[in-house]
């Protein structure tokens, strides 16, 4: 083989190899390739082995179909009460239509960023500072709804929007810290006063219950003492009655004379006078008869004269 034939063969092999290389395209997983034929959109290549016509078909872009996370730099936003806050946002989005993402928008990342800033200013502009700081979930939902609706025609789906940080001005932060410190001090003072009030109430309640219990105990003790005294008096009276009955029975059975009864009555009078409470003596109306009977003790019997 001559040198010229060898060169021609090498050129043909190189051309065939180059054509095969341009014909066979391997697309990675979760990736889509946009193919243009003669400058116009032809088709979208899916992951795996694909064949194209060399020198006629051209792969314009390789689109990542995975969910992407983009963090945008802090953006100054003015609230409804004319305060400037700095807000960091993070967006989670995914390309659902590679053709629309390629031909409907020149650069969808820049478009999503600018749309996020504009929507964020519209949403936060209708809120005051306090609501902005406490309504992250509301802002996230509003941003996601607006962005998902606007980016749908670009073949992009916004899955989630998160606010990383909301930073008010330094002077406002100092004022908020002072207010929070004052609120905490106020709550602590209120709790301390409430504790003291509850302690005083409990102490007073305890003293009240103790006094009631003491009074109830004293009343019960007095009742018991009165009952004991009444029972003792009743027993003494019963004993005295029994004794009197026994004496009366003995006297009745002995059939004493009138003179003996009068003599026993006179012997009893000194015993009656011994009591400290016996300050007044009552002489019964029968005292004359008793004395007559006593006089009869010392008079001689009838029919006998004195010496």
């Amino acid at each position: 083989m001559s040198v010229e034939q060898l060169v021609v063969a090498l050129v043909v092999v190189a051309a065939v190899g180059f054509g095969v290389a341009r014909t066979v395209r391997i697309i990675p997983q979760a990736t889509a390739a946009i193919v243009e034929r003669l400058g116009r959109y032809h088709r979208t290549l899916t992951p795996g082995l694909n064949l194209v016509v060399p020198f006629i078909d051209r792969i314009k872009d390789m689109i990542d179909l995975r969910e992407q996370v983009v963090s945008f730099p802090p953006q100054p936003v003015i609230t409804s009460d004319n305060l400037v806050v700095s807000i960091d946002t993070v967006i989670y989005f995914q390309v659902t239509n590679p053709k629309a993402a390629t031909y409907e928008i020149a650069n969808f990342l820049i478009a999503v960023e600018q749309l996020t800033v504009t929507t964020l200013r519209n949403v936060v502009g209708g809120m005051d500072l306090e609501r902005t700081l406490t309504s992250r979930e509301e802002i996230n939902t509003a941003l996601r709804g607006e962005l998902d609706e606007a980016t749908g025609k670009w073949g992009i789906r916004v899955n989630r929007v998160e606010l990383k940080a909301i930073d008010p001005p330094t002077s406002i932060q100092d004022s908020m810290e002072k207010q929070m410190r004052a609120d905490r001090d106020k709550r602590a003072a209120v709790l301390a006063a409430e504790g003291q009030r509850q302690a005083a109430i409990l102490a007073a309640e305890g003293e009240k219950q103790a006094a009631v219990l003491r009074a109830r105990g004293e009343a019960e003790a007095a009742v018991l003492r009165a009952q004991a005294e009444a029972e003792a008096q009743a027993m003494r009276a019963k004993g005295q009655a029994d004794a009197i009955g026994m004496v009366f029975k003995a006297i009745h059975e002995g059939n004493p004379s009138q003179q003996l009864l009068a003599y026993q009555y006179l012997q009893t009078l000194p015993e009656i006078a011994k009591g400290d409470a016996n300050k007044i003596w009552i002489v019964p109306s029968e005292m004359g008869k008793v004395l007559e009977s006593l006089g009869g003790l010392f008079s001689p019997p009838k029919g006998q004269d004195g010496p």
Side-chain angles (χ1 to χ4, degrees), residues 173-189:
Q173 291 183 9
D174 296 338
S175 300
M176 293 174 62
E177 290 178 358
K178 292 179 181 178
Q179 182 179 0
M180 292 176 61
R181 190 179 302 109
D183 291 339
R184 286 195 295 269
D185 295 340
K186 178 181 177 181
R187 287 196 297 269

Side-chain angles (χ1 to χ4, degrees), residues 25-304:
R25 294 299 177 92
I26 299 177
I27 306 301
Q29 183 67 32
T31 305
I34 302 299
V35 177
E36 292 181 345
R37 176 168 291 181
L38 300 178
R40 298 181 61 183
Y41 171 76
H42 177 59
R43 63 192 177 108
T44 301
L45 301 182
T46 58
L49 181 64
N50 295 270
L51 299 177
V52 297
V53 178
F55 305 108
I56 297 177
D57 294 341
R58 181 178 70 91
I59 296 180
K60 177 176 176 58
D61 289 319
M62 299 287 288
I63 306 298
D64 192 346
L65 300 180
R66 296 172 298 177
E67 186 175 15
Q68 301 183 43
V69 182
V70 179
S71 178
F72 299 135
Q75 300 294 329
V77 181
I78 301 177
T79 61
S80 61
D81 46 358
N82 296 324
L83 294 175
V84 180
V85 294
S86 180
I87 301 179
D88 295 351
T89 54
V90 178
I91 295 181
Y92 299 79
F93 69 93
Q94 187 176 11
V95 176
T96 58
N97 188 343
K99 178 183 177 182
T102 302
Y103 294 103
E104 295 295 335
I105 189 72
N107 191 324
F108 60 82
L109 285 178
I110 297 178
V112 170
E113 179 182 0
Q114 296 302 319
L115 183 61
T116 301
V117 173
T118 304
T119 307
L120 183 62
R121 288 176 178 174
N122 291 335
V123 173
V124 177
M127 301 180 178
D128 56 12
L129 179 60
E130 183 176 359
R131 184 181 174 189
T132 301
L133 295 175
T134 58
S135 303
R136 287 176 177 251
E137 189 63 28
E138 181 181 353
I139 298 174
N140 293 339
T141 303
L143 283 175
R144 182 185 177 281
E146 294 289 338
L147 292 175
D148 192 40
E149 182 180 359
T151 58
K153 63 179 180 179
W154 300 339
I156 298 174
R157 181 180 63 215
V158 178
N159 297 325
R160 188 169 53 177
V161 179
E162 296 290 343
L163 301 183
K164 289 197 303 182
I166 302 177
D167 299 326
T170 304
S171 58
I172 300 299
Q173 291 183 9
D174 296 338
S175 300
M176 293 174 62
E177 290 178 358
K178 292 179 181 178
Q179 182 179 0
M180 292 176 61
R181 190 179 302 109
D183 291 339
R184 286 195 295 269
D185 295 340
K186 178 181 177 181
R187 287 196 297 269
V190 170
L191 291 176
E194 184 67 20
Q196 294 177 358
R197 187 177 73 89
Q198 291 293 337
I201 292 175
L202 293 176
E205 187 67 22
E207 293 178 357
K208 176 183 175 182
Q209 293 180 359
V212 169
L213 292 176
R214 285 194 299 270
R216 185 177 300 172
E218 293 175 357
E220 292 178 355
V223 170
L224 292 176
R225 286 194 296 270
Q227 291 178 353
E229 183 67 23
E231 292 177 357
Q233 292 179 359
M235 292 180 67
R236 286 195 297 268
K238 186 176 182 301
Q240 293 176 359
D242 292 342
I244 293 172
M246 292 176 65
V247 171
F248 179 79
K249 182 179 179 181
I251 295 173
H252 181 71
E253 291 177 353
N255 195 14
S257 62
Q258 185 71 22
Q259 290 82 5
L260 179 60
L261 293 176
Y263 180 71
Q264 291 293 331
Y265 183 80
L266 289 176
Q267 287 183 340
T268 307
L269 288 177
E271 297 295 330
I272 296 175
K274 289 181 180 180
D276 295 334
N278 297 329
K279 303 301 182 182
I280 300 175
W281 283 39
I282 299 174
V283 179
S285 61
E286 292 82 0
M287 180 59 71
K289 295 179 179 180
V290 173
L291 294 177
E292 291 177 0
S293 298
L294 291 176
L297 292 175
F298 301 100
S299 62
K302 293 180 179 181
Q304 295 182 1

